[in-house]
């Protein structure tokens, strides 16, 4: 134990400190009415430990700076509807218990989403779950809001609600403070297509594997999640067609031709997949299916920065989804029939597709010049 005065280490049974000679006070236990709990002073920590009897067993409810605070905690605990073995669980322990069962019902991506959200609870994980309030949980969201999008904040709120629900089920808490959490305002970023000059830069750097992948995305028009889900068995490499897509009935298993400018690239990726007996055509360096977020941060932005499409690390005027907008815009400029375009892009009407078509000043000028003067 530590000396109560000089704070140096001495034997646990010492009556006096061998360093400064101070007499060591023993633990001072005081009990209120029978069965009403106890408070004891610990000389080594200089704090008061509060305990109660629950279900025939002594349960510690924490350490406090003053005896008054310790007795207040005893009285509060005695007033609780239920005290059980889970009463003292920390936020981290609740997360582990909850995740053991819940993760079994999730996909790997779903599980990773909650694990990523859990990172923002680092300052709370040692807290007792019963001490957690809305302000503690809100601080996790506020930190994420400064760094990432609203979707990350939504995942943190979702995890907060699930942890609180589990804790209520186990009688650890009697109020779900997560219901009062506030999310940042939703801001829909404008998606810009690649310009013709930027597409040319990609072709000029097509020795880079990621540039070839981005070009394949641009000239097929799939959503990024659909693109990385293209299976080798769904590619007709002889006739240069892909049957893929998801999300909507119009988008599922749609037929998309492979543009002549990317046929060599596509054939290369297809042959690699067949030879390696891989399910998916486009994979990461380890041969696994590409995750959109991972692709964006580890491959997409670094590559575009390296070849000069992006001017700085903060420049993110294009995203993986920009490839789909570029496809629609290029098709519109080429005058492709509206019905063919909506079939390839996976929409039910041209009204939806129009959102993806971006008109430039040059487009307007050319359109006006096509009008014949009398």
């Amino acid at each position: 134990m530590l000396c109560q005065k000089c704070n140096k280490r001495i034997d646990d049974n010492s009556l006096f400190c061998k360093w400064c000679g101070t007499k060591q006070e023993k633990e001072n236990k005081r009990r209120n009415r029978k069965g009403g709990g106890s408070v004891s002073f610990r000389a080594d920590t200089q704090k008061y430990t509060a305990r109660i009897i629950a279900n025939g067993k002594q349960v510690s409810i924490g350490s406090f700076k003053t005896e008054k605070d310790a007795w207040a905690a005893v009285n509060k605990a005695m007033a609780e509807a239920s005290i059980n073995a889970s009463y003292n669980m920390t936020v981290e322990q609740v997360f582990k218990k909850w995740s053991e069962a819940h993760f079994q019902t999730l996909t790997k991506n779903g599980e990773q989403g909650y694990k990523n959200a859990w990172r923002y609870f680092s300052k709370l994980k040692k807290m007792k779950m019963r001490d957690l309030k809305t302000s503690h949980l809100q601080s996790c969201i506020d930190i994420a809001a400064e760094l990432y999008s609203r979707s990350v904040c939504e995942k943190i709120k979702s995890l907060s609600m699930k942890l609180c629900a589990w804790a209520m089920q186990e009688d650890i808490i009697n109020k779900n403070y997560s219901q009062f959490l506030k999310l940042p305002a939703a801001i829909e970023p404008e998606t810009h297509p690649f310009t013709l000059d930027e597409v040319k830069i990609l072709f000029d750097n097509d020795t880079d594997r990621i540039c070839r992948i981005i070009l394949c995305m641009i000239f097929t028009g799939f959503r990024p999640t659909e693109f990385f889900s293209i299976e080798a068995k769904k590619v007709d490499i002889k006739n240069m067609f892909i049957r893929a897509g998801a999300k909507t009935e119009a988008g599922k298993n749609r037929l998309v031709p492979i543009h002549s400018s990317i046929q060599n690239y596509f054939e290369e990726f297809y042959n690699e997949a067949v030879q390696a007996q891989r399910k998916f055509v486009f994979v990461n360096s380890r041969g696994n299916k590409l995750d959109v977020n991972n692709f964006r941060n580890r491959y997409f932005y670094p590559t575009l920065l390296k070849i000069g499409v992006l001017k700085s690390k903060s420049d993110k005027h294009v995203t993986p989804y920009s490839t789909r907008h570029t496809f629609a815009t290029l098709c519109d400029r080429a005058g492709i029939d509206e019905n063919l375009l909506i079939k390839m892009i996976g929409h039910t009407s041209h009204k939806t597709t129009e959102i993806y078509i971006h008109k430039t000043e040059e487009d307007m000028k050319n359109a006006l010049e096509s009008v014949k003067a009398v």
Side-chain angles (χ1 to χ4, degrees):
M1 67 180 185
L2 301 178
C3 172
Q4 296 170 21
K5 182 177 180 181
C6 69
N7 209 36
K8 290 185 178 180
R9 176 67 62 181
I10 57 176
D11 294 337
D12 290 343
N13 297 322
S14 298
L15 294 178
F16 296 89
C17 175
K18 64 179 181 180
W19 306 103
C20 67
T22 302
K23 184 178 180 180
Q24 306 299 300
E25 298 294 336
K26 296 298 182 180
E27 284 191 349
N28 179 27
K29 287 190 177 182
R30 291 182 55 191
R31 294 183 181 273
N32 63 353
R33 62 186 182 277
K34 185 177 180 181
S38 67
V39 170
S40 59
F41 176 76
R42 292 196 59 177
D44 56 344
T45 62
Q46 297 289 295
K47 289 185 178 181
Y48 293 85
T49 300
R51 300 181 181 87
I52 63 168
I53 302 297
N55 300 322
K57 295 183 179 179
Q58 193 176 66
V59 179
S60 171
I61 56 174
S63 298
F64 305 87
K65 289 183 178 181
T66 68
E67 186 177 6
K68 181 180 179 181
D69 290 341
W71 280 120
V74 168
N75 293 333
K76 179 182 177 182
M78 294 300 296
E80 296 284 348
S82 175
I83 303 295
N84 53 38
S86 303
Y87 185 73
N88 280 320
M89 288 183 72
T90 63
V91 177
E92 184 175 33
Q93 289 171 328
V94 168
F95 174 76
K96 287 181 178 179
K97 281 291 184 181
W98 166 79
S99 60
E100 283 174 4
H102 191 67
F103 281 0
Q104 295 179 18
T105 67
L106 301 177
T107 62
K108 286 187 176 180
N109 285 341
E111 178 181 329
Q112 190 59 50
Y114 281 114
K115 286 182 177 179
N116 291 339
W118 172 245
R119 295 174 186 172
Y120 294 90
F121 288 73
S122 59
K123 293 184 178 180
L124 309 182
K125 62 183 183 181
K126 298 304 179 184
M127 285 183 64
K128 296 283 176 59
M129 186 69 195
R130 56 186 163 83
D131 293 333
L132 210 59
K133 298 293 185 289
T134 302
S135 59
H136 298 119
L137 298 170
Q138 187 66 51
S139 66
C140 301
I141 290 178
D142 293 344
I143 292 172
E146 294 180 1
L147 302 172
Y148 299 105
S149 65
R150 179 185 165 98
S151 61
V152 176
C153 299
E154 289 173 345
K155 201 67 177 180
I156 295 172
K157 181 177 181 179
S158 175
L159 177 57
S160 299
M161 294 182 72
K162 291 183 182 298
L163 295 182
C164 287
W166 189 91
M168 288 186 73
Q169 179 183 319
E170 296 297 315
D171 292 323
I172 300 173
I173 59 176
N174 53 24
K175 187 174 184 179
N176 190 338
Y177 287 99
S178 65
Q179 64 183 309
F180 306 111
L181 292 174
K182 295 180 180 180
L183 294 171
I187 300 175
E188 292 296 333
E190 183 181 357
T191 303
H192 298 277
F194 284 83
T195 65
L196 292 178
D197 287 339
E198 289 170 344
V199 173
K200 184 178 184 304
I201 291 174
L202 286 165
F203 276 118
D204 290 342
N205 290 273
D206 68 353
T207 54
D208 186 289
R209 181 182 180 87
I210 303 304
C211 287
R212 295 198 297 276
I213 290 178
I214 296 172
L215 286 167
C216 287
M217 295 174 73
I218 287 175
F219 285 93
T220 55
F222 288 106
R223 299 175 182 90
T225 50
E226 294 175 328
F227 182 82
F228 295 129
S229 297
I230 294 175
E231 299 179 14
K233 67 179 182 181
K234 297 292 184 71
V235 177
D236 182 350
I237 204 67
K238 180 179 178 181
N239 297 303
M240 288 295 167
F241 275 96
I242 310 163
R243 186 172 292 281
K247 192 173 181 179
T248 64
E249 285 302 318
K252 289 180 180 177
N253 293 317
R254 61 186 185 273
L255 198 63
V256 177
I258 303 173
H259 192 272
S260 58
S261 65
I262 61 166
Q263 286 179 0
N264 289 339
Y265 309 151
F266 223 100
E267 189 171 8
E268 170 200 341
F269 290 114
Y270 170 81
N271 289 335
E272 285 180 2
V274 171
Q275 291 171 10
Q277 297 184 327
R278 291 196 304 259
K279 181 178 180 180
F280 301 105
V281 175
F282 299 95
V283 295
N284 61 21
S285 57
R286 296 189 298 276
N288 299 323
K289 181 180 179 182
L290 276 163
D291 171 77
V292 177
N293 289 330
N294 186 273
F295 174 76
R296 180 194 298 110
N297 297 321
R298 294 192 62 183
Y299 303 105
F300 185 82
Y301 286 135
T303 298
L304 295 183
L305 181 61
K306 180 179 69 176
I307 66 175
V309 170
L310 302 180
K311 305 307 177 186
S312 66
K313 288 186 177 180
S314 61
D315 177 10
K316 296 181 179 179
H317 71 274
V318 288
T319 69
Y321 216 90
S322 294
T323 59
R324 183 167 165 83
H325 284 248
T326 309
F327 175 82
T329 301
L330 292 175
C331 288
D332 178 72
R333 287 175 183 169
I336 289 180
D337 180 78
E338 289 182 2
N339 292 324
L340 287 177
L341 178 54
I342 63 175
K343 283 182 178 295
M344 288 189 292
I345 207 166
H347 289 154
T348 55
S349 70
H350 190 258
K351 184 177 180 180
T352 306
T353 308
E354 283 179 345
I355 300 172
Y356 293 78
I357 297 172
H358 299 254
K359 299 291 187 182
T360 65
E361 293 178 2
E362 191 68 22
D363 292 327
M364 290 186 282
K365 180 180 178 181
N366 292 337
L368 184 58
E369 288 298 323
S370 68
V371 176
K372 301 299 182 182
V374 177

